[in-house]
Every structure is written in structure tokens, then in C-alpha cells.
Amino acid sequence: MELTNENVLGKIISEFGEENIWDAYNPDGIMTFTTNRETIVNLITYLRDDKELQISFLTTMCGIHYPEQKGKELCVMYQLHSLRHNYRVRIKVFIPGSDPVMPTMTGVYATTNWMEREAFDFYGIIFKGHPNLTRILNIEEMEYHPMLKQYPLEDRTREDKIDTYFGR
Amino acid sequence: MSDSNQDIKMVDAPEGHSGAGFFATSFEKVIGLARKNSLWPLPFATSCCGIEYMATMGSHYDISRFGSERPSFSPRQADIMLVMGTIAKKMGPVVKQVYEQMAEPRWVVAVGACASSGGIFDTYSVLQGIDRIVPVDVYVPGCPPRPEQILDGLMRVQDLAANESLRRRNSPEYQALLASYNIK
């Protein structure tokens, strides 16, 4: 079977139901759709194990922060690739910032171990069931998650950038 | 050429009293002279400034002329730590540990904008200047500084070493300085 966006989306919707798959569009030729926390692990396992699709390679996974979307501030994005068919797909899961919990994908793809640690490090997303959810890039003593857009990127202890020096 | 020694530069003797067969001066001056002309560097190079330092060690700029003949990558017998490059906050404890392992007397040079102030990397992950974790004697500006500037920084340290009192490291001011950095 030739993998096209319509075929794949039809297969996924028939498997998981319309209530769990929505907002499908092709922003750059790669089909992108949204699902929920309950479906995501089963969905990615299904894409990996289905004989016809064989979308069995997780190219990347990361967190995103949309501070202006109330109730859907955080997002976890998965990009998958079928090496057999050279077909790519992108899956997003939006979660509220007040409840940043996701199921871990480490049972499906071992590579997500470090990727989820990175998402936890920078966005504070808690992955339930992760074997070792600790910071991976920043220092352990850091008290905040620096990629959340509520924090200034600049170091606020510098005294050579105060307004006086810029005539403000 | 081989028998002409007009190109050879000799260090002048310190001021003192000389007579037939003897020369008398103070310990401080002799030890200062010896320290000044054998400052062994410990290059802590993390980025582009480290490459400039490699050029400084090469034959054209030849840091060996100043007695910095042996760049050591161990704190053993090192007198002067040259921190060259961006120090991330994760690297901070390592810099501090290397400094603590060096024996007195020890000097620190922050080479380049990153080591001196964080440079262009004004961000959550970069230490905004190594003077937050270790005391610094000489700052070398530039991004990156030319080898001449690194040599100039070394010569400033030579001035410090030549004129430093032997008791300076035991002075309460110096102990207070180290205590302010939680060293020892």
C-alpha cells in the first residue's frame, strides 16, 4: 500500500476513533495531528507494530511552550519516520501547564529516555513511569525550567547592562 | 653570529650590595625574581581563546621567552591558571577544584570576554565571569584576544609576582578574600 496522508489518517481514526484524533493538517507536507494523553502510547505502539504502516523510527520528541493558550500551555511533540516507506508523521499532545504529566514512552522506544529527561529539564513536564527522571543538561541545583517563556533568558545578576549605561 | 651575544637579554640583578666576591640583597627580591621568570601556566582552555593561547605557545609568539616553558595540565607545580573560554555553570565547580588544587603562590588570568564577564553569552547556563568562583588577578579583554594581549596579561602577572611581598599570602586581607570565595 502506498502511504499517503489520507490513507494513514483513515487507518489511525478507524483504529482509535474520531474522539481521540483531531486537528489533522499538513503544514509542510508532513501530516500533523493532535491526540490526548490516554491514546498516545497505544498509538505510537500501533504505528510501530502495524504490518502495513511500519512507522517504526522515532526521529525526535520534544516539549513546546505556548503561554497564550489557556489550559493547553504545554505540548509534547513526536515525529516518526517509516524507513520502509519513507513516510513521516508528526503527533502533538497538548497538556495544561497546571498538570504537566505525560505517560512515558520508554517502554516503546528506548531513545525517549534522554529526550524525556531533556523535556523535563527545560519544560518541567513529568513523565510518569520514567526510570530516571533527572535533569540531563542543566545543573542539578537549578530551581526553574529555563525554556518556559515566563523566565528571562538573560542572567539577571549582571550589573553592566543596567539602563544607566544606555542613557535610558 | 654564534659568538655574538648582543641579542641575548639578561635579567638585571635586583638592587643590593655587592663587593669583592659577594652580593647581598633581600630574600623577597630574589624570590620575586625567580617566580617572575618561571611562571608555569595551567591553561584551562574551553573555547576559541584557547586556540589563541596555542598560537601564543607557538614559535612566533613563543610564551617560553617569559619562562612559561612548561604548560601543565595538572595543578602540580603550576603557578598561574589561565582560564580561556566560556565557563558554563556546570563547569564552575571544576574550575574551582583546579584552583583549589594549585599550591600557593598562585595567580589567575581571565582571558577573553567570556571568562571575564560571560561575554555575549548572557544566558541562564553560562557563568557571568569566573570572578564569581575564584579570585582573578588579571583580566585580558578581547573576543578573542590576540596572542600579544595574552602575553601582555602574562607580563602583568609577572609584575605582580616580582613585587609581591613574601607575607602577602598570610595576610588577613588575603585570607578574607579566599574565605569570601569559600576556599579552605
Side-chain angles (χ1 to χ4, degrees), chain B residues 39 63 66 68 80 149-158:
Chain B
L39 285 169
I63 203 170
F66 300 89
S68 300
I80 168 172
Q149 290 173 263
I150 298 181
L151 290 178
D152 187 61
L154 182 78
M155 287 159 77
R156 298 286 76 76
V157 177
Q158 285 191 317

Side-chain angles (χ1 to χ4, degrees), chain A:
Chain A
M1 143 179 164
E2 175 71 23
L3 260 62
T4 63
N5 291 342
E6 293 75 24
N7 290 348
V8 175
L9 189 63
K11 246 180 107 77
I12 291 172
I13 288 183
S14 66
E15 182 74 23
F16 292 96
E18 288 213 355
E19 66 279 9
N20 292 323
I21 310 288
W22 63 91
D23 281 353
Y25 70 119
N26 308 329
D28 41 16
I30 299 176
M31 182 176 65
T32 304
F33 61 86
T34 308
T35 180
N36 52 27
R37 279 189 284 211
E38 294 73 31
T39 315
I40 184 71
V41 178
N42 293 335
L43 171 65
I44 287 184
T45 312
Y46 166 78
L47 292 177
R48 184 189 68 180
D49 296 337
D50 188 77
K51 287 279 177 293
E52 211 168 20
L53 296 175
Q54 295 184 29
I55 303 178
S56 58
F57 178 53
L58 181 83
T59 49
T60 188
M61 167 228 134
C62 67
I64 315 174
H65 188 218
Y66 298 105
E68 69 285 348
Q69 292 184 10
K70 293 294 164 244
K72 302 192 295 181
E73 287 91 353
L74 286 167
C75 167
V76 181
M77 190 272 308
Y78 299 86
Q79 285 189 10
L80 295 126
H81 185 200
S82 170
L83 295 162
R84 178 79 179 72
H85 304 285
N86 190 18
Y87 173 82
R88 293 175 191 270
V89 66
R90 185 186 293 126
I91 306 168
K92 288 185 173 182
V93 181
F94 289 91
I95 51 178
S98 54
D99 176 33
V101 178
M102 279 287 290
T104 183
M105 206 61 68
T106 45
V108 188
Y109 288 109
T111 183
T112 53
N113 189 315
W114 282 10
M115 295 178 178
E116 286 175 1
R117 278 178 66 186
E118 187 193 37
F120 164 73
D121 190 351
F122 284 104
Y123 296 92
I125 300 166
I126 311 286
F127 290 90
K128 269 225 159 21
H130 190 285
N132 176 28
L133 197 63
T134 53
R135 288 188 182 270
I136 184 168
L137 288 169
N138 287 307
I139 49 173
E140 291 84 359
E141 298 84 44
M142 192 175 262
E143 291 163 353
Y144 55 94
H145 301 286
M147 291 289 269
L148 295 177
K149 291 173 183 171
Q150 68 232 51
Y151 296 106
L153 279 175
E154 295 184 345
D155 188 299
R156 275 163 298 170
T157 54
R158 273 183 72 157
E159 294 166 358
D160 57 337
K161 296 178 116 182
I162 54 178
D163 290 350
T164 313
Y165 295 119
F166 297 94
R168 293 195 290 250

Side-chain angles (χ1 to χ4, degrees), chain B residues 7 37 39 41 51-71 82 146-152 154-155 158:
Chain B
D7 293 338
N37 293 294
L39 285 169
I51 309 295
E52 295 297 313
Y53 180 74
M54 293 176 202
T56 315
M57 287 193 296
S59 56
H60 189 88
Y61 294 100
D62 194 15
I63 203 170
S64 305
R65 291 176 295 153
F66 300 89
S68 300
E69 184 63 79
R70 197 204 86 167
L82 294 128
R146 286 188 54 88
E148 291 97 327
Q149 290 173 263
I150 298 181
L151 290 178
D152 187 61
L154 182 78
M155 287 159 77
Q158 285 191 317

